[in-house]
Amino acid sequence: MDKSRETFVYIVETLRPYHIARINHCAAAGMHPVAIELNPAGSMSSQCTFPVEQMSSKAQSSINSKRDIFAELEGLLVAVDPASVVIPGWGYPEALIALKWARIAKRRTVLLSDSNQFDQSRKSHLEWVKRKIVSLHDVALVAGESHKDYLQALGFQGDNIFTGYDVVDNGYFATASQEAYASGLEAKERFDLPEEYMLICSRMIEKKNIAKILHAYSQLPSDGNKFDLVLVGQGELEAPLRQLANELQMADRVHFHGWVAYEDIPTYYAFARGLIHVPMIEQWGLVLNEAAACGLPIISSFTCGAARELVEDGENGFVVDPSSTTAIRDAMISMSRLSEQQRDKMKSRSREIVSLWDLDHFSTSLGKAIERSRNLKGKTLNVMNKHFLSLTARLMGPGVA
């Protein structure tokens, strides 16, 4: 059998543009993916160049039991009959059911992970569970080096870990932002963008640290405050953040644009002076990929997983302590005072760095991971581990990172 033509299943909760770009690229590279979408939403599957099997039971979880959901997933896996199963993470029940099915059916598994040691507080009993789950996988594709370090800390063999999981379609963002910039004033007026601004593109939740950014912005000296802030995104803290901007007497310079469609995001990058993304914790942060692909200088935090790979302090941006208002303020001042020559150099460096984290990197790394798994002795599932996966899946709630 031609191994290059072996089908693999890629399990995904809900297909989003970045999932589709990655899997489409695998298909274009001659691989044979089939996606299983656990919780379909909208009509994104029409953009896929690969087959998509959509589950129905999870979307109706209020009337369907976990047993129904698990049975439907196992039925789809049997029907597709893949040689490999690509499974994102370990923090939701379907991941464990897919792993159990693969082990019983003697199929290879690729674990996808962008968890790192610092993305949340760790509890010893949960780490034990993760260590057990991880040990049952063949190979892994992770986001970057800190994520590889964490997986190794859980006992996974380093030779079986590949990097390049968290990428976006760099070409799309670069081209779309350039086209928006070329349209000039018309695009800025259509989206009501200020003359000079720094961009915050984020969900408005506590860990994204946006209140700290607003406090830092309020402390800028007059010669370091040459830009407004534009905030894109929604979340539970939007109203409190609007109130904070009013209390700090800068509501006229902090612009809340709410939810913005995927196809319009490049316009916001096109005219921004830079991106500010300084979360207290973040597994990766695809917004850094997008901004770098559009050639933006970036202010990020050392607790943002992507910063280690995508931001070189002083070269294409600044890496700060997210708990320090002063550090964030000083980075804003430094960004504001860049000459055009310095800013152009940072823009070019952002593009250079992110060019190594592209769709080619993803498909190549996934291909290498699958190939590596073929050369490993297949893992079997004893009775105890079978019951462990089944019981943990039944007991598990969503989102154990």
Side-chain angles (χ1 to χ4, degrees):
M1 179 179 181
D2 181 0
K3 292 182 178 179
S4 68
R5 297 190 61 81
E6 288 184 353
T7 296
F8 68 88
V9 155
Y10 192 111
I11 294 176
V12 60
E13 176 71 17
T14 302
L15 281 166
R16 303 297 185 194
Y18 52 91
H19 296 123
I20 293 172
R22 295 170 192 170
I23 308 174
N24 276 347
H25 200 76
C26 288
M31 302 169 73
H32 295 268
V34 176
I36 292 182
E37 189 176 19
L38 303 177
N39 194 11
S43 57
M44 296 295 292
S45 61
S46 64
Q47 302 174 25
C48 301
T49 60
F50 50 89
V52 179
E53 299 290 343
Q54 295 182 321
M55 288 181 56
S56 59
S57 57
K58 187 168 185 179
Q60 305 175 48
S61 57
S62 60
I63 59 175
N64 288 310
S65 68
K66 278 188 175 179
R67 181 174 295 179
D68 295 327
I69 296 170
F70 297 166
E72 183 181 10
L73 175 57
E74 290 177 331
L76 287 175
L77 288 166
V78 169
V80 175
D81 192 27
S84 304
V85 185
V86 180
I87 303 172
W90 46 70
Y92 59 102
E94 293 86 356
L96 306 192
I97 296 304
L99 174 58
K100 186 185 77 167
W101 179 88
R103 294 281 70 101
I104 293 172
K106 295 182 171 54
R107 308 304 160 87
R108 297 178 293 273
T109 64
V110 181
L111 169 65
L112 300 177
S113 176
D114 54 12
S115 289
N116 55 49
Q117 186 65 50
F118 55 76
D119 60 32
Q120 61 177 263
S121 59
R122 299 296 173 189
K123 299 178 181 178
S124 58
H125 66 287
L126 291 179
E127 296 303 282
W128 182 88
V129 171
K130 281 185 274 188
R131 184 181 292 270
K132 185 76 170 175
I133 295 168
V134 162
S135 71
L136 298 174
H137 278 281
D138 295 309
V139 295
L141 175 60
V142 301
E145 290 302 319
S146 65
H147 312 86
K148 181 177 180 178
D149 292 343
Y150 180 50
L151 209 54
Q152 287 183 278
L154 291 174
F156 211 88
Q157 185 174 329
D159 291 346
N160 296 334
I161 305 174
F162 300 80
T163 62
Y165 172 32
D166 280 335
V167 302
V168 302
D169 186 345
N170 292 348
Y172 166 76
F173 282 96
T175 300
S177 64
Q178 289 165 5
E179 290 175 350
Y181 189 80
S183 68
L185 186 61
E186 184 274 330
K188 293 191 77 170
E189 289 180 344
R190 181 158 59 95
F191 291 96
D192 195 23
L193 296 171
E195 184 63 28
E196 297 283 343
Y197 65 92
M198 294 282 286
L199 182 64
I200 300 169
C201 188
S202 171
R203 285 182 296 151
M204 295 187 187
I205 57 177
E206 191 68 33
K207 73 175 186 177
K208 300 297 185 176
N209 209 28
I210 298 172
K212 187 83 70 176
I213 297 174
L214 297 186
H215 281 291
Y217 182 71
S218 72
Q219 297 176 13
L220 291 177
S222 58
D223 67 337
N225 191 355
K226 301 176 182 178
F227 54 85
D228 289 7
L229 293 178
V230 171
L231 284 75
V232 167
Q234 295 176 315
E236 61 196 37
L237 295 183
E238 182 174 352
L241 289 170
R242 286 179 179 272
Q243 182 178 345
L244 178 60
N246 284 325
E247 291 172 355
L248 295 173
Q249 299 183 346
M250 54 189 198
D252 60 328
R253 301 201 64 185
V254 179
H255 311 270
F256 291 83
H257 282 225
W259 177 84
V260 173
Y262 178 77
E263 60 268 21
D264 293 330
I265 289 290
T267 300
Y268 283 79
Y269 289 126
F271 297 100
R273 297 291 294 180
L275 176 80
I276 307 175
H277 187 70
V278 290
M280 294 301 295
I281 53 173
E282 182 95 69
Q283 291 181 323
W284 181 258
L286 289 174
V287 67
L288 268 65
N289 299 65
E290 296 172 0
C294 295
L296 290 190
I298 297 167
I299 297 173
S300 192
S301 55
F302 65 78
T303 48
C304 178
R308 178 169 172 179
E309 273 74 24
L310 300 182
V311 185
E312 295 177 355
D313 193 43
E315 296 298 319
N316 72 316
F318 305 96
V319 180
V320 301
D321 178 351
S323 67
S324 171
T325 303
T326 300
I328 298 170
R329 180 203 65 194
D330 290 348
M332 289 185 189
I333 293 172
S334 297
M335 190 78 82
S336 178
R337 292 176 178 171
L338 291 173
S339 67
E340 285 304 310
Q341 183 179 12
Q342 291 171 320
R343 185 168 177 271
D344 286 345
K345 185 177 180 181
M346 281 196 169
K347 290 170 63 176
S348 295
R349 187 62 187 137
S350 279
R351 293 190 184 101
E352 289 172 359
I353 292 170
V354 82
S355 69
L356 302 176
W357 297 85
D358 60 4
L359 296 175
D360 279 340
H361 187 26
F362 173 81
S363 62
T364 299
S365 293
L366 180 56
K368 287 179 178 178
I370 292 173
E371 180 62 32
R372 172 68 174 162
S373 72
R374 296 189 184 112
N375 298 321
L376 298 175
K377 181 180 179 181
K379 294 186 177 181
T380 57
L381 201 64
N382 60 33
V383 173
M384 183 175 295
N385 285 337
K386 179 180 177 180
H387 287 305
F388 164 77
L389 290 175
S390 296
L391 179 60
T392 304
R394 287 199 298 270
L395 295 176
M396 182 180 284
V400 181

